[in-house]
């Protein structure tokens, strides 16, 4: 039986801890962690303040979430995707999408089950699966276009497959899966009776002509999909940690069963503010996308000017860049060099891969462009030193 110390050492310290510390030590412009350096829209902050000043919102919120936020989440799904959600039984508010994913895995996956993970992946997925005593099975996206091989995907399914984690728009590659790709995934999940845990936190961070298509909208998929999203990316409130899971009541009940013993309830005033935010008019969403389109152009220009090749992200605020033309070494070595000597921090992708597929990320690093236009311009100036 492994000791608690052994279990902790299995997961280790995330690479983000090292890079953040290194960036601070060398006064580097930090494009590592996906944390905006600009503030939340002031009207949303005002709603938070007003909720905190109202005495009824300063104690525990209902475990599944406040009625107002669960209704807003259901209305959002109907408004953008024509998905009908039961706000009372089909929504759970979680402490960010990360907890939503963890609770979905704990609540829907049993010991010994297999869970398909598409690589490169958000770094919490695999530890979550291991903590549930399940087995991750990996399917890689292949650079430089970051697409999966259908035969590799098909071979990942077995009699033990219980779930598949699908992240689109995808962190870190910036891919937005097409209808054809989603249909392939859906057909295999239906054939093998597999549940999909759909991580859609970047659902509104997409760039034309790409379109976000929730897999839950495909025929036969709603009843086998729980969709995870959050307010953090959409409203630049990553510090509020308000996320949610929605889907058919029987699956959501499993998520709720785990959630009640993970965090029980989420910060009450923040839920009231996010309920307001989700009901903002279309102009908010349009302005949000236009803001990030400019930032995408700035980071791509900065990378191109430094001789770094990049896949143009179709969604998210991440871009994967190929540094092999300017540096000979591992992604971690390049990241340390870039942070110390150039003054720009990024994230190496080793922690986004299983050991068997880590070679696919060799020569690449990830940059986050959820930063001010001024910082992104400074990044371009510093990166010219690579030439």
């Amino acid at each position: 039986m492994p000791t608690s110390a052994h279990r902790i050492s299995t997961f280790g310290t995330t690479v983000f801890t090292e890079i953040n510390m290194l960036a601070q030590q060398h006064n580097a412009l930090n494009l590592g962690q996906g944390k905006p350096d600009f503030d939340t829209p002031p009207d949303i902050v005002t709603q938070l303040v007003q909720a905190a000043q109202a005495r009824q919102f300063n104690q525990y919120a209902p475990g599944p979430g406040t009625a107002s936020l669960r209704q807003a989440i259901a209305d959002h799904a109907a408004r953008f995707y024509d998905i009908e959600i039961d706000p009372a039984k089909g929504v759970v508010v979680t402490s960010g999408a990360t907890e939503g994913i963890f609770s979905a895995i704990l609540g829907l996956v049993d010991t010994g089950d297999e869970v398909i993970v598409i690589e490169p992946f958000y770094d919490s997925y695999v530890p979550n699966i291991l903590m549930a005593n399940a087995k991750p099975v990996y399917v890689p996206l292949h650079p430089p276009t970051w697409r999966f091989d259908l035969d590799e995907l098909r071979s990942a399914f077995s009699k033990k497959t219980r779930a598949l984690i699908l992240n689109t728009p995808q962190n870190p590659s910036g891919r937005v899966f097409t209808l054809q790709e989603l249909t392939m995934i859906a057909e295999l999940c239906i054939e093998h009776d597999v549940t999909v845990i759909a991580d859609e936190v970047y659902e509104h961070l997409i760039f034309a002509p790409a379109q976000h298509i929730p897999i839950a909208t495909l025929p036969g998929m709603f009843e086998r999909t729980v969709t995870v999203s959050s307010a953090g990316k959409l409203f630049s409130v990553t510090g509020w940690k308000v996320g949610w899971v929605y889907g058919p009541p029987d699956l959501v009940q499993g998520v709720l069963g785990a959630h009640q013993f993970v965090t029980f309830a989420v910060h009450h005033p923040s839920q009231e503010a996010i309920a307001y935010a989700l009901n903002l008019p279309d102009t908010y969403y349009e302005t949000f996308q236009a803001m990030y389109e400019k930032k995408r152009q700035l980071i791509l220009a900065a990378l191109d000017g430094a001789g770094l090749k990049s896949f143009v992200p179709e969604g998210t605020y991440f871009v994967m860049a190929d540094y092999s033309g300017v540096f000979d070494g591992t992604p971690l070595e390049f990241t340390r060099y870039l942070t110390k000597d150039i003054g720009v921090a990024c994230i190496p992708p080793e922690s986004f891969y299983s050991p068997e597929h880590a070679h696919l990320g060799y020569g690449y690093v990830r940059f986050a462009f959820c930063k001010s236009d001024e910082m992104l311009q400074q990044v371009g100036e510093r990166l010219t030193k690579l030439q």
Side-chain angles (χ1 to χ4, degrees):
M1 185 76 175
T3 65
S4 59
H6 173 76
R7 288 183 64 83
I8 292 171
S9 66
T10 299
F11 307 123
T13 302
T14 73
V15 70
F16 295 96
T17 301
E18 176 189 346
I19 300 307
N20 286 338
M21 290 178 62
L22 206 61
Q24 289 180 348
Q25 292 170 9
H26 296 273
N27 197 29
L29 301 173
N30 194 345
L31 272 62
Q33 192 171 13
K35 180 173 67 173
D37 68 347
F38 45 88
D39 205 7
T40 309
D43 59 324
I44 300 176
V45 174
T46 298
Q47 293 293 319
L48 174 66
V49 173
Q50 292 177 351
Q53 290 174 337
R55 293 174 58 186
Q56 71 266 35
F57 299 130
N58 287 326
Q59 306 307 323
Y60 289 124
T66 64
S68 59
L69 181 51
R70 283 183 284 150
Q71 185 63 59
I73 291 164
D75 291 344
H76 174 275
R79 172 183 173 186
F80 288 98
Y81 311 122
D82 199 27
I83 298 176
E84 185 176 343
I85 303 296
D86 180 348
K89 298 180 180 179
V91 181
V92 176
V93 178
T94 58
S95 183
T98 301
E99 191 249 308
I101 293 161
F102 186 38
S103 292
I105 292 170
L106 286 179
L108 301 175
V109 174
D110 294 328
T111 296
D113 285 344
E114 293 181 352
V115 180
I116 295 174
V117 180
I118 297 175
E119 300 175 292
F121 48 76
Y122 178 59
D123 64 348
S124 80
Y125 294 167
V126 171
N128 288 176
I129 294 167
L130 296 177
M131 283 187 271
N133 292 313
K135 177 185 176 183
V137 177
Y138 303 99
V139 176
L141 300 178
H142 295 274
T145 57
W146 306 102
R147 294 179 179 272
F148 62 78
D149 178 275
L150 180 57
D151 290 335
E152 290 177 341
L153 176 65
R154 185 180 289 112
S155 66
F157 285 81
S158 75
K159 292 181 179 179
K160 293 184 178 180
T161 306
R162 172 61 64 91
L164 178 148
I165 302 179
L166 175 67
N167 178 209
T168 182
Q170 211 256 1
N171 169 21
S173 71
R175 278 295 320 284
V176 175
F177 288 1
T178 64
L179 177 59
Q180 181 182 22
E181 290 171 314
L182 294 173
T183 299
M184 294 175 186
I185 294 169
E187 289 175 348
L188 286 167
C189 288
I190 292 170
E191 178 185 346
H192 294 273
D193 192 23
V194 168
T195 299
V196 173
I197 301 170
D199 179 354
E200 299 185 1
V201 295
Y202 300 98
E203 59 186 307
H204 290 289
L205 224 170
I206 51 176
F207 307 104
Q211 289 184 310
H212 172 56
I213 304 170
I215 196 166
T217 63
L218 270 60
M221 289 306 296
F222 177 77
E223 56 266 35
R224 64 177 62 253
T225 302
V226 290
T227 300
V228 184
S229 195
S230 86
K233 310 304 187 293
L234 178 56
F235 303 116
S236 304
V237 289
T238 59
W240 291 16
K241 297 299 293 179
V242 177
W244 51 83
V245 181
Y246 69 72
D250 59 332
L251 293 182
V252 171
Q253 185 62 37
V255 180
L256 177 61
H259 163 76
Q260 65 184 342
F261 296 114
V262 176
T263 61
F264 175 67
V266 175
H267 187 254
H268 203 158
S270 297
Q271 293 192 55
E272 295 302 310
I274 298 306
Y276 160 85
L278 281 173
N279 285 305
L280 286 171
D282 290 351
T283 50
Y284 173 81
Y285 295 86
E286 294 162 0
T287 301
F288 174 79
Q289 291 176 337
M291 173 185 71
Y292 271 108
E293 174 58 44
K294 182 179 180 182
K295 297 182 186 303
R296 181 177 72 149
Q297 293 173 4
L298 286 171
I299 189 62
L300 290 174
L303 297 174
D304 184 63
L308 300 176
K309 302 174 185 177
S310 55
F311 172 81
V312 177
E314 299 162 343
T316 78
Y317 46 51
F318 299 112
V319 56
M320 292 287 280
D322 179 351
Y323 63 80
S324 58
V326 299
F327 186 87
D328 185 17
T330 68
L332 182 56
E333 290 169 344
F334 176 70
T335 298
R336 289 170 174 162
Y337 163 72
L338 196 71
T339 305
K340 295 177 181 179
D341 295 358
I342 306 298
V344 177
C346 58
I347 290 293
E350 285 99 333
S351 63
F352 304 151
Y353 281 97
S354 62
E356 65 188 286
H357 294 137
H359 65 279
L360 294 173
Y362 192 92
Y364 289 89
V365 289
R366 189 196 76 176
F367 293 88
F369 55 92
C370 50
K371 310 297 176 181
S372 68
D373 293 354
E374 293 75 20
M375 179 190 277
L376 294 174
Q377 290 166 349
Q378 292 174 30
V379 166
E381 294 167 3
R382 293 191 183 188
L383 287 181
T384 57
K385 291 184 284 186
L386 283 171
Q387 291 285 56

